[in-house]
Amino acid sequence: MTSHPNPRPLPVPAPAHADPLSDTRGRALRDLRISVTDRCNFRCTYCMPKEVFGKDFQFLERGALLSFGEINRLVRLFRDQGVEKIRITGGEPLVRRKLEVLIEMLAYWDDLDLTLTTNGSLLAQKAQALKDAGLKRVTVSLDSLDDTVFRAMNDVDFPVARVLEGIEAADRAGLAPIKVNMVVKRGVNDHTVVDMARFFKGSGHILRFIEFMDVGSTNGWQMQHVVPSRELVSRLDEVFGIESLDPNYTGEVAERWRYRDGSGEVGFISSVTQAFCRDCTRARLSAEGSLYTCLFATRGTDLRALLRADASDEEISAQIARIWRARTDRYSEIRTEDTAKQRKVEMSYIGG
Ligand code: SAM
Ligand code: SF4
Ligand code: SF4
């Protein structure tokens, strides 16, 4: 693999802060989601609809993207501020060339939980290299096992079978436990929910149902398209019998349930019908280095400018701390049909 950019030997532990970072609502900064590209090889209708993200859409130029070295530096500084978990996302992170080089850099920070969310299309080729580079786990998005439904939702005619191959490759490589994310949209794929559950029940993978959200301003969101998790819980309970579990940790976004027969776990991410802003400890870094404190933000703060103006670690850390301390976000708690229509940053840009 590549030469290592971080000093050896192993990293010094992140400092214990006498005054840990906390926002205006008392929430710590624990998770950082990093979008490594705004591009994607899918055009999921709920995320990057073709009418908007067509041939003429201007994606970021390569030079606008944070380099791996810049990302690594920011990760070091965020870790010093208390971040414990890093999720690599996008766009589709596996379309960023040589992503495993970045993973290897970030894996150096061995006390960080390092994970990645992918549409799975390139996972069969990449899983082993990602594991070898130090990735711990993956989350794979898959919206249906029904090939016709899935091809229509990704809108590039991508078959289910190849995503399943990716999941198998990730499993073989040891990127487990694998989580599988299914965005549920009423009238589109909600009739395939039970089949999905049946397929993954007993597999060791954790299927999570996500309520369709009004991210960005282009996906035509309406409340009537949302299938509330409550409804899915009763459907699954009727068919299989499920019972709720305690969260693994405060701020866990998925509500955990398990099959009564002991054959595994399912999760429900209910950001529309049961907002979890109260415990939200997540920040997001866009592919061009802007920091966002909410998935539904309208504006971010440019950290790339500081990086490229040779700002010191102390200056960048102070900026991160200023932004987090001023954070007031609680969008999902105050969502209405009107706020849903407001202009927001697209999820493919900010990172899901
Ligand atoms: N391309 C990768 C993927 O699809 O897994 C990573 C980026 S994607 C934006 C991250 C996650 O956001 C995916 O699981 C996707 O299904 C979810 N997502 C995208 N748009 C959404 C929406 N409108 N509502 C709910 N979840 C959404
Ligand atoms: Fe691409 Fe993921 Fe968005 Fe689908 S959800 S368009 S795979 S970024
Ligand atoms: Fe966090 Fe914003 Fe989502 Fe609330 S709406 S949980 S603050 S990202």
Side-chain angles (χ1 to χ4, degrees):
M1 280 242 152
T2 49
S3 63
H4 216 288
N6 290 307
R8 295 288 181 184
L10 287 173
V12 286
H17 289 279
D19 179 20
L21 265 191
S22 170
D23 72 8
T24 60
R25 296 161 63 84
R27 299 168 296 190
L29 170 58
R30 293 266 179 264
D31 316 70
L32 180 65
R33 296 180 175 222
I34 304 173
S35 170
V36 291
T37 178
D38 59 337
R39 293 170 199 253
C40 185
N41 54 348
F42 283 14
R43 285 293 176 275
C44 302
T45 51
Y46 54 74
C47 179
M48 296 180 77
K50 262 184 186 161
E51 311 81 71
V52 179
F53 295 88
K55 284 203 170 57
D56 297 331
F57 187 82
Q58 286 288 309
F59 289 101
L60 296 171
E61 299 290 338
R62 179 188 278 257
L65 302 180
L66 287 188
S67 69
F68 290 167
E70 287 170 332
I71 294 175
N72 185 45
R73 182 173 178 210
L74 286 179
V75 165
R76 173 168 58 82
L77 299 178
F78 273 96
R79 173 178 172 269
D80 287 348
Q81 300 272 13
V83 162
E84 296 167 347
K85 183 168 172 183
I86 302 286
R87 178 170 297 278
I88 303 297
T89 178
E92 173 47 43
L94 299 188
V95 305
R96 175 97 186 235
R97 280 182 37 211
K98 299 213 161 69
L99 187 75
E100 58 280 11
V101 174
L102 175 67
I103 298 295
E104 192 192 5
M105 287 180 179
L106 301 186
Y108 171 76
W109 310 107
D110 58 357
D111 49 4
L112 290 179
D113 186 21
L114 181 60
T115 65
L116 173 142
T117 302
T118 172
N119 62 25
S121 58
L122 301 169
L123 201 50
Q125 295 104 285
K126 299 248 177 177
Q128 192 59 52
L130 291 168
K131 175 69 182 180
D132 293 345
L135 187 67
K136 296 191 177 155
R137 286 176 286 108
V138 283
T139 297
V140 182
S141 304
L142 176 61
D143 294 327
S144 187
L145 289 173
D146 179 315
D147 213 42
T148 310
V149 170
F150 183 59
R151 284 176 194 254
M153 284 182 87
N154 64 54
D155 213 10
V156 293
D157 214 22
F158 200 87
V160 171
R162 289 191 36 211
V163 179
L164 294 179
E165 281 166 25
I167 293 176
E168 278 161 28
D171 199 18
R172 275 197 305 277
L175 290 165
I178 296 169
K179 291 179 182 154
V180 178
N181 278 357
M182 171 179 186
V183 175
V184 183
K185 199 170 165 190
R186 194 180 299 281
V188 176
N189 65 341
D190 57 329
H191 61 293
T192 69
V193 157
V194 170
D195 285 347
M196 274 291 263
R198 188 173 289 115
F199 184 83
F200 286 107
K201 184 173 179 288
S203 67
H205 312 324
I206 303 169
L207 176 61
R208 300 165 349 143
F209 301 98
I210 305 182
E211 289 178 349
F212 171 47
M213 294 186 287
D214 53 322
V215 284
S217 332
T218 60
N219 72 3
W221 183 87
Q222 289 177 29
M223 189 64 204
Q224 69 200 49
H225 295 144
V226 178
V227 182
S229 293
R230 277 189 313 280
E231 193 179 316
L232 295 181
V233 165
S234 7
R235 243 194 262 175
L236 260 56
D237 189 32
E238 250 170 55
V239 181
F240 304 109
I242 56 173
E243 62 193 10
S244 72
L245 283 169
D246 288 336
N248 284 317
Y249 53 89
T250 316
E252 189 170 33
V253 294
E255 206 183 293
R256 299 171 61 215
W257 289 67
R258 76 165 166 227
Y259 294 104
R260 282 185 214 275
D261 66 6
S263 59
E265 200 177 311
V266 274
F268 297 88
I269 301 180
S270 324
S271 74
V272 178
T273 63
Q274 295 163 62
F276 38 77
C277 300
R278 216 178 37 172
D279 294 323
C280 178
T281 55
R282 288 178 296 283
R284 292 178 155 84
L285 188 63
S286 76
E288 58 179 341
S290 285
L291 181 63
Y292 291 84
T293 53
C294 178
L295 178 55
F296 299 89
T298 47
R299 219 175 312 127
T301 307
D302 184 6
L303 296 183
R304 186 187 63 187
L306 283 178
L307 289 166
R308 296 190 181 173
D310 289 330
S312 65
D313 286 353
E314 291 69 27
E315 284 166 320
I316 299 172
S317 295
Q319 176 69 311
I320 294 169
R322 248 193 314 274
I323 294 164
W324 194 262
R325 291 211 164 96
R327 178 183 189 239
T328 57
D329 305 281
R330 56 185 197 102
Y331 178 87
S332 288
E333 289 179 354
I334 54 173
R335 170 189 289 108
T336 61
E337 296 270 353
D338 281 340
T339 59
K341 287 185 203 122
Q342 284 166 8
R343 210 167 164 72
K344 303 177 230 85
V345 180
E346 295 301 328
M347 197 167 184
S348 51
Y349 169 83
I350 195 178

